[in-house]
Amino acid sequence: MAVIRDVMPAFDLLQPESAAEAQKLLEQYGDEAWVMAGGLDSFDWLKDRIKKPKVLVDLSGVSELKGVRVTSDGVEIGAMTTLTEIANHPAIQKDYGVLSQAVALVASPQIRNQGTLGGNVSQDVRCWYYRGGWPCYRAGGNICYADTPVGRNREHAIFGANRCVAVHPSDSVPALIVLDAKFVVQTAKGEQIVDAEDYFVGPEDDITRINMLQPGDLLTAIRIPATWAGAKFYFEKVRDRNVWDFPLMNVASAIKLNGNTIQDIRIAVNAVSPRPMRLRAVEDAVRHNSAAVVLDDTGGAGLAEIAGGIAVVGAVPLQFNGYKIPLMRNLVKRAIVGPLESRTGDAIAVTTAGREAVCRS
Ligand SMILES: Cc1cc2nc3c(=O)[nH]c(=O)nc-3n(C[C@H](O)[C@H](O)[C@H](O)COP(=O)(O)OP(=O)(O)OC[C@H]3O[C@@H](n4cnc5c(N)ncnc54)[C@H](O)[C@@H]3O)c2cc1C
Ligand code: SF4
């Protein structure tokens, strides 16, 4: 399908100065309005003339949505805070290092300087058919072009397919899930606070949306409670190129130790399913075991090895993405072993070309 890339469709630009004013405008214009944060995802849609909103609600002048605030129970990050500010913030680096590590691996410095946390978690899927304007299921049609014998689906889902097989592309989200973050949404009916996992919507619930936001809703902040502050963290992103690139897959984990025993663990992956996935079965398999048992992978029988196998139970590859199964198995194993071996409590970044990451266990 030919896409005309000349000028953006005309829209009215509205520039509120407070979150309340922004939410009111969104409520007033409903599904004719488009929220614009840093504009990196928004401008793609507009310049390709695929989305044609009547009004654009530009949040760049809403100062109350910007910045990191240290609270009595963790930190609150305004939705308009840039990824660079989050990556460099001392309190986040000190206590929630998995998040600074994850956002530091998003795209390029230029994109991180402009892109916001609210935009990063709310960005749409990157499936080229959909973004090219093809009338697929997610666009309201009745076909998935990626899930055909010749469809280009190397980057697509191995879990959660339901007509659509696109994956959620964000790097920040798995870190937010393991930190038990809460998303604060302003709606016409008042404030709603949801767990990070519950912000996201799969195609089985609504194939035209990627998150819970309805017309009129505004994500204002993300709160990270102190629950996991200072835990042992791990973040790894696998991408094709070491310059800016979306994840082929990423994984985040947080581990609390009591002596040598894993008192608690959270682990989440993204880019494997239309919704980010928290791996509860893996967490349950590892929790309350000693680090020695988890690290004992001689002969392939260590618990971390088994946990990697548990992670991929039920995976269904498409024509060209079978590599994602061993990749996920190995990433999950590394996300369990890594924090235990380093014992530093810092996030670990290992950015590896996809093929190497699949082979390396
Ligand atoms: C070349 C390129 C490479 C990239 N690589 C990566 C990568 O490696 N990893 C990664 O995670 N991301 C990547 N991204 C995505 C990029 O990080 C996001 O597009 C960006 O974070 C979006 O943020 P933004 O502030 O520009 O939001 P926008 O583009 O303005 O908004 C994105 C979406 O979120 C909605 N939205 C934004 N803020 C709110 C809010 N407060 N309330 C309600 N809705 C809101 C908008 O309506 C829009 O639908 C890449 C993008 C580009 C262009
Ligand atoms: S994977 Fe989803 S977004 Fe891509 S073509 Fe299929 S239905 Fe559309």
Side-chain angles (χ1 to χ4, degrees):
M1 171 176 293
V3 175
I4 302 166
R5 294 185 171 84
D6 47 6
V7 291
M8 287 189 280
F11 48 74
D12 289 338
L13 180 64
L14 306 179
Q15 298 187 295
E17 293 181 353
S18 71
E21 193 190 341
Q23 195 278 317
K24 280 282 164 235
L25 289 170
L26 292 172
E27 196 182 323
Q28 180 182 340
Y29 288 96
D31 57 13
E32 292 185 315
W34 181 277
V35 179
M36 192 177 77
L40 292 157
D41 199 17
S42 297
F43 280 126
D44 269 5
W45 288 115
L46 301 175
K47 286 162 98 176
D48 287 347
R49 300 176 71 85
I50 293 168
K51 307 280 186 186
K52 299 176 183 170
K54 186 170 176 215
V55 302
L56 210 69
V57 178
D58 170 16
L59 301 179
S60 62
V62 186
S63 50
E64 71 192 91
L65 295 179
K66 296 177 185 171
V68 178
R69 292 169 286 279
V70 178
T71 66
S72 56
D73 177 35
V75 291
E76 178 174 279
I77 306 172
M80 284 296 290
T81 310
T82 66
L83 300 175
T84 298
E85 185 176 345
I86 295 165
N88 295 336
H89 196 279
I92 296 180
Q93 286 179 340
K94 175 175 167 285
D95 288 331
Y96 312 100
V98 67
L99 180 60
S100 36
Q101 192 64 63
V103 296
L105 290 175
V106 170
S108 64
Q110 293 88 342
I111 289 172
R112 295 193 294 274
N113 287 343
Q114 177 70 15
T116 65
L117 188 61
N120 188 266
V121 300
S122 307
Q123 62 178 305
D124 213 336
V125 301
R126 302 299 303 186
C127 176
W128 31 80
Y129 298 104
Y130 171 61
R131 297 190 78 102
W134 294 46
C136 67
Y137 283 127
R138 190 171 280 279
N142 63 358
I143 183 173
C144 172
Y145 298 95
D147 192 9
T148 61
V150 292
R152 289 179 58 200
N153 54 37
R154 180 176 164 274
E155 288 81 0
H156 286 65
I158 53 172
F159 285 101
N162 185 316
R163 295 161 292 150
C164 179
V165 293
V167 295
H168 196 282
S170 165
D171 283 315
S172 64
V173 167
L176 292 167
I177 289 175
V178 301
L179 291 170
D180 197 15
K182 314 292 176 194
F183 287 33
V184 184
V185 178
Q186 285 297 335
T187 75
K189 293 181 185 155
E191 187 176 273
Q192 213 182 329
I193 299 175
V194 295
D195 287 344
E197 287 168 81
D198 297 334
Y199 184 71
F200 303 96
V201 170
E204 67 283 5
D205 292 325
D206 186 344
I207 202 163
T208 62
R209 287 191 298 144
I210 194 167
N211 57 50
M212 60 173 280
L213 298 180
Q214 299 282 355
D217 292 354
L218 179 70
L219 175 68
T220 56
I222 292 178
R223 292 181 188 146
I224 302 178
T227 329
W228 289 87
K232 292 183 171 295
F233 296 123
Y234 189 89
F235 185 84
E236 182 170 349
K237 167 180 179 174
V238 175
R239 54 187 168 187
D240 278 327
R241 301 175 301 162
N242 274 345
V243 293
W244 60 265
D245 212 344
F246 284 91
L248 289 170
M249 198 177 294
N250 57 31
V251 65
S253 67
I255 293 181
K256 284 185 201 169
L257 284 177
N258 182 1
N260 272 332
T261 301
I262 295 179
Q263 181 191 325
D264 206 355
I265 175 170
R266 284 173 78 114
I267 183 161
V269 290
N270 211 1
V272 295
S273 161
R275 290 179 61 169
M277 283 177 72
R278 181 173 165 201
L279 305 179
R280 284 195 166 75
V282 171
E283 295 170 4
D284 292 344
V286 173
R287 193 179 292 113
H288 303 319
N289 281 282
S290 77
V293 169
V294 172
L295 292 175
D296 177 20
D297 61 352
T298 50
L303 193 50
E305 185 84 41
I306 292 167
I310 292 171
V312 295
V313 169
V316 180
L318 303 166
Q319 181 88 339
F320 299 112
N321 71 358
Y323 75 94
K324 282 200 172 187
I325 294 180
L327 176 58
M328 182 166 166
R329 192 164 54 225
N330 287 336
L331 279 188
V332 167
K333 179 181 164 187
R334 294 210 287 273
I336 296 167
V337 169
L340 298 179
E341 284 186 336
S342 80
R343 298 192 181 276
T344 63
D346 292 333
I348 301 167
V350 189
T351 304
T352 326
R355 187 187 301 264
E356 188 191 331
V358 171
C359 301
R360 185 166 61 88
S361 61

